[in-house]
Amino acid sequence: MNDITEAADRAGEGTGGLSRRQFLRGAGTTAAATALVGAPAPLPAAPPAGGAGPGVTGIGPGPVKVTLTVNGRPMSNSVEPRVTLLDFLRNYLDVTGCKRVC
């Protein structure tokens, strides 16, 4: 160690207390040990690349056919129900005039 870190480690020795470095080292060790003990269980394995496994159904409804009249022209595409109108217009119909503001 260099002189500065040795002096910082010895700063609390004469007073009987802890130095800042010793306190932070102990607090970090305690936090890491607590995090490891309370770690969540591992996630289950991902389904095979070809889709859900045998006997397993997908979550939620599939894509729905949507038809809109945009600027006087009918436009349609299939989209999942969770997609917002803004994302549908910009990403699926290539109507880039609408902007996300807030």
Side-chain angles (χ1 to χ4, degrees), residues 44-47 51-53 55-64 79-82:
V56 178
T57 60
I59 298 174
V64 177
V79 65
E80 291 184 356
R82 64 181 176 202

PDB file of all heavy atoms in Angstrom, residues 44-47 51-53 55-64 79-82:
ATOM      1  N   PRO A  44     -36.630 -20.201 -14.548  1.00  0.00           N
ATOM      2  CA  PRO A  44     -36.725 -21.455 -15.286  1.00  0.00           C
ATOM      3  C   PRO A  44     -36.127 -21.307 -16.683  1.00  0.00           C
ATOM      4  O   PRO A  44     -36.011 -20.202 -17.207  1.00  0.00           O
ATOM      5  CB  PRO A  44     -38.234 -21.722 -15.351  1.00  0.00           C
ATOM      6  CG  PRO A  44     -38.873 -20.406 -15.106  1.00  0.00           C
ATOM      7  CD  PRO A  44     -37.914 -19.612 -14.256  1.00  0.00           C
ATOM      8  N   ALA A  45     -35.782 -22.398 -17.269  1.00  0.00           N
ATOM      9  CA  ALA A  45     -35.172 -22.386 -18.601  1.00  0.00           C
ATOM     10  C   ALA A  45     -36.138 -21.822 -19.629  1.00  0.00           C
ATOM     11  O   ALA A  45     -37.353 -21.963 -19.511  1.00  0.00           O
ATOM     12  CB  ALA A  45     -34.756 -23.799 -18.993  1.00  0.00           C
ATOM     13  N   ALA A  46     -35.607 -21.168 -20.642  1.00  0.00           N
ATOM     14  CA  ALA A  46     -36.424 -20.578 -21.701  1.00  0.00           C
ATOM     15  C   ALA A  46     -37.043 -21.675 -22.551  1.00  0.00           C
ATOM     16  O   ALA A  46     -36.470 -22.757 -22.692  1.00  0.00           O
ATOM     17  CB  ALA A  46     -35.562 -19.666 -22.568  1.00  0.00           C
ATOM     18  N   PRO A  47     -38.219 -21.415 -23.152  1.00  0.00           N
ATOM     19  CA  PRO A  47     -38.824 -22.423 -24.014  1.00  0.00           C
ATOM     20  C   PRO A  47     -37.988 -22.635 -25.265  1.00  0.00           C
ATOM     21  O   PRO A  47     -37.187 -21.785 -25.635  1.00  0.00           O
ATOM     22  CB  PRO A  47     -40.195 -21.829 -24.364  1.00  0.00           C
ATOM     23  CG  PRO A  47     -40.077 -20.377 -24.096  1.00  0.00           C
ATOM     24  CD  PRO A  47     -39.027 -20.222 -23.037  1.00  0.00           C
ATOM     25  N   GLY A  51     -40.893 -22.332 -30.466  1.00  0.00           N
ATOM     26  CA  GLY A  51     -42.156 -21.950 -29.836  1.00  0.00           C
ATOM     27  C   GLY A  51     -42.269 -22.607 -28.479  1.00  0.00           C
ATOM     28  O   GLY A  51     -41.312 -23.113 -27.923  1.00  0.00           O
ATOM     29  N   ALA A  52     -43.468 -22.601 -27.945  1.00  0.00           N
ATOM     30  CA  ALA A  52     -43.706 -23.187 -26.638  1.00  0.00           C
ATOM     31  C   ALA A  52     -43.546 -24.703 -26.714  1.00  0.00           C
ATOM     32  O   ALA A  52     -43.728 -25.318 -27.760  1.00  0.00           O
ATOM     33  CB  ALA A  52     -45.098 -22.807 -26.154  1.00  0.00           C
ATOM     34  N   GLY A  53     -43.239 -25.305 -25.591  1.00  0.00           N
ATOM     35  CA  GLY A  53     -43.054 -26.744 -25.528  1.00  0.00           C
ATOM     36  C   GLY A  53     -44.375 -27.472 -25.709  1.00  0.00           C
ATOM     37  O   GLY A  53     -45.437 -26.868 -25.836  1.00  0.00           O
ATOM     38  N   GLY A  55     -47.799 -29.076 -25.101  1.00  0.00           N
ATOM     39  CA  GLY A  55     -48.834 -28.892 -24.086  1.00  0.00           C
ATOM     40  C   GLY A  55     -48.823 -27.527 -23.427  1.00  0.00           C
ATOM     41  O   GLY A  55     -49.572 -27.287 -22.505  1.00  0.00           O
ATOM     42  N   VAL A  56     -47.970 -26.595 -23.873  1.00  0.00           N
ATOM     43  CA  VAL A  56     -47.885 -25.268 -23.281  1.00  0.00           C
ATOM     44  C   VAL A  56     -48.475 -24.269 -24.261  1.00  0.00           C
ATOM     45  O   VAL A  56     -48.093 -24.227 -25.427  1.00  0.00           O
ATOM     46  CB  VAL A  56     -46.417 -24.883 -22.960  1.00  0.00           C
ATOM     47  CG1 VAL A  56     -46.338 -23.487 -22.406  1.00  0.00           C
ATOM     48  CG2 VAL A  56     -45.818 -25.876 -21.999  1.00  0.00           C
ATOM     49  N   THR A  57     -49.422 -23.473 -23.795  1.00  0.00           N
ATOM     50  CA  THR A  57     -50.013 -22.464 -24.662  1.00  0.00           C
ATOM     51  C   THR A  57     -49.335 -21.128 -24.431  1.00  0.00           C
ATOM     52  O   THR A  57     -48.782 -20.879 -23.365  1.00  0.00           O
ATOM     53  CB  THR A  57     -51.524 -22.325 -24.386  1.00  0.00           C
ATOM     54  OG1 THR A  57     -51.699 -21.950 -23.021  1.00  0.00           O
ATOM     55  CG2 THR A  57     -52.253 -23.628 -24.654  1.00  0.00           C
ATOM     56  N   GLY A  58     -49.384 -20.263 -25.419  1.00  0.00           N
ATOM     57  CA  GLY A  58     -48.789 -18.937 -25.315  1.00  0.00           C
ATOM     58  C   GLY A  58     -49.587 -18.055 -24.359  1.00  0.00           C
ATOM     59  O   GLY A  58     -50.739 -18.335 -24.032  1.00  0.00           O
ATOM     60  N   ILE A  59     -48.987 -16.996 -23.906  1.00  0.00           N
ATOM     61  CA  ILE A  59     -49.644 -16.073 -22.989  1.00  0.00           C
ATOM     62  C   ILE A  59     -50.235 -14.931 -23.800  1.00  0.00           C
ATOM     63  O   ILE A  59     -49.543 -14.285 -24.569  1.00  0.00           O
ATOM     64  CB  ILE A  59     -48.635 -15.536 -21.960  1.00  0.00           C
ATOM     65  CG1 ILE A  59     -48.085 -16.682 -21.130  1.00  0.00           C
ATOM     66  CG2 ILE A  59     -49.277 -14.488 -21.072  1.00  0.00           C
ATOM     67  CD1 ILE A  59     -46.992 -16.286 -20.182  1.00  0.00           C
ATOM     68  N   GLY A  60     -51.505 -14.662 -23.620  1.00  0.00           N
ATOM     69  CA  GLY A  60     -52.157 -13.540 -24.266  1.00  0.00           C
ATOM     70  C   GLY A  60     -52.628 -13.857 -25.670  1.00  0.00           C
ATOM     71  O   GLY A  60     -52.282 -14.879 -26.247  1.00  0.00           O
ATOM     72  N   PRO A  61     -53.446 -12.960 -26.217  1.00  0.00           N
ATOM     73  CA  PRO A  61     -53.967 -13.183 -27.565  1.00  0.00           C
ATOM     74  C   PRO A  61     -52.900 -12.916 -28.625  1.00  0.00           C
ATOM     75  O   PRO A  61     -51.923 -12.226 -28.384  1.00  0.00           O
ATOM     76  CB  PRO A  61     -55.105 -12.169 -27.669  1.00  0.00           C
ATOM     77  CG  PRO A  61     -54.739 -11.090 -26.718  1.00  0.00           C
ATOM     78  CD  PRO A  61     -53.992 -11.763 -25.602  1.00  0.00           C
ATOM     79  N   GLY A  62     -53.124 -13.458 -29.789  1.00  0.00           N
ATOM     80  CA  GLY A  62     -52.205 -13.269 -30.897  1.00  0.00           C
ATOM     81  C   GLY A  62     -52.498 -11.968 -31.628  1.00  0.00           C
ATOM     82  O   GLY A  62     -53.336 -11.157 -31.196  1.00  0.00           O
ATOM     83  N   PRO A  63     -51.825 -11.729 -32.749  1.00  0.00           N
ATOM     84  CA  PRO A  63     -52.044 -10.503 -33.523  1.00  0.00           C
ATOM     85  C   PRO A  63     -53.490 -10.394 -34.016  1.00  0.00           C
ATOM     86  O   PRO A  63     -54.145 -11.386 -34.300  1.00  0.00           O
ATOM     87  CB  PRO A  63     -51.084 -10.642 -34.697  1.00  0.00           C
ATOM     88  CG  PRO A  63     -50.058 -11.618 -34.250  1.00  0.00           C
ATOM     89  CD  PRO A  63     -50.748 -12.537 -33.300  1.00  0.00           C
ATOM     90  N   VAL A  64     -53.972  -9.163 -34.097  1.00  0.00           N
ATOM     91  CA  VAL A  64     -55.334  -8.866 -34.515  1.00  0.00           C
ATOM     92  C   VAL A  64     -55.260  -7.976 -35.749  1.00  0.00           C
ATOM     93  O   VAL A  64     -54.430  -7.074 -35.829  1.00  0.00           O
ATOM     94  CB  VAL A  64     -56.090  -8.133 -33.379  1.00  0.00           C
ATOM     95  CG1 VAL A  64     -57.484  -7.753 -33.810  1.00  0.00           C
ATOM     96  CG2 VAL A  64     -56.121  -8.980 -32.128  1.00  0.00           C
ATOM     97  N   VAL A  79     -51.521  -6.637 -35.745  1.00  0.00           N
ATOM     98  CA  VAL A  79     -50.735  -6.121 -34.629  1.00  0.00           C
ATOM     99  C   VAL A  79     -51.214  -6.774 -33.336  1.00  0.00           C
ATOM    100  O   VAL A  79     -52.380  -7.138 -33.213  1.00  0.00           O
ATOM    101  CB  VAL A  79     -50.845  -4.572 -34.558  1.00  0.00           C
ATOM    102  CG1 VAL A  79     -52.254  -4.138 -34.250  1.00  0.00           C
ATOM    103  CG2 VAL A  79     -49.884  -3.995 -33.563  1.00  0.00           C
ATOM    104  N   GLU A  80     -50.308  -6.938 -32.378  1.00  0.00           N
ATOM    105  CA  GLU A  80     -50.681  -7.471 -31.069  1.00  0.00           C
ATOM    106  C   GLU A  80     -51.465  -6.424 -30.309  1.00  0.00           C
ATOM    107  O   GLU A  80     -51.211  -5.220 -30.459  1.00  0.00           O
ATOM    108  CB  GLU A  80     -49.434  -7.864 -30.289  1.00  0.00           C
ATOM    109  CG  GLU A  80     -48.717  -9.062 -30.869  1.00  0.00           C
ATOM    110  CD  GLU A  80     -47.542  -9.493 -30.025  1.00  0.00           C
ATOM    111  OE1 GLU A  80     -47.232  -8.817 -29.025  1.00  0.00           O
ATOM    112  OE2 GLU A  80     -46.933 -10.499 -30.368  1.00  0.00           O
ATOM    113  N   PRO A  81     -52.427  -6.823 -29.471  1.00  0.00           N
ATOM    114  CA  PRO A  81     -53.265  -5.853 -28.752  1.00  0.00           C
ATOM    115  C   PRO A  81     -52.505  -4.929 -27.804  1.00  0.00           C
ATOM    116  O   PRO A  81     -52.984  -3.860 -27.470  1.00  0.00           O
ATOM    117  CB  PRO A  81     -54.230  -6.739 -27.965  1.00  0.00           C
ATOM    118  CG  PRO A  81     -54.263  -8.014 -28.705  1.00  0.00           C
ATOM    119  CD  PRO A  81     -52.907  -8.182 -29.308  1.00  0.00           C
ATOM    120  N   ARG A  82     -51.320  -5.290 -27.369  1.00  0.00           N
ATOM    121  CA  ARG A  82     -50.585  -4.455 -26.414  1.00  0.00           C
ATOM    122  C   ARG A  82     -49.853  -3.280 -27.063  1.00  0.00           C
ATOM    123  O   ARG A  82     -49.279  -2.441 -26.379  1.00  0.00           O
ATOM    124  CB  ARG A  82     -49.595  -5.301 -25.627  1.00  0.00           C
ATOM    125  CG  ARG A  82     -48.514  -5.897 -26.492  1.00  0.00           C
ATOM    126  CD  ARG A  82     -47.579  -6.748 -25.683  1.00  0.00           C
ATOM    127  NE  ARG A  82     -46.614  -7.370 -26.572  1.00  0.00           N
ATOM    128  CZ  ARG A  82     -45.956  -8.441 -26.281  1.00  0.00           C
ATOM    129  NH1 ARG A  82     -46.147  -9.036 -25.132  1.00  0.00           N
ATOM    130  NH2 ARG A  82     -45.082  -8.948 -27.118  1.00  0.00           N
TER     131      ARG A  82
END
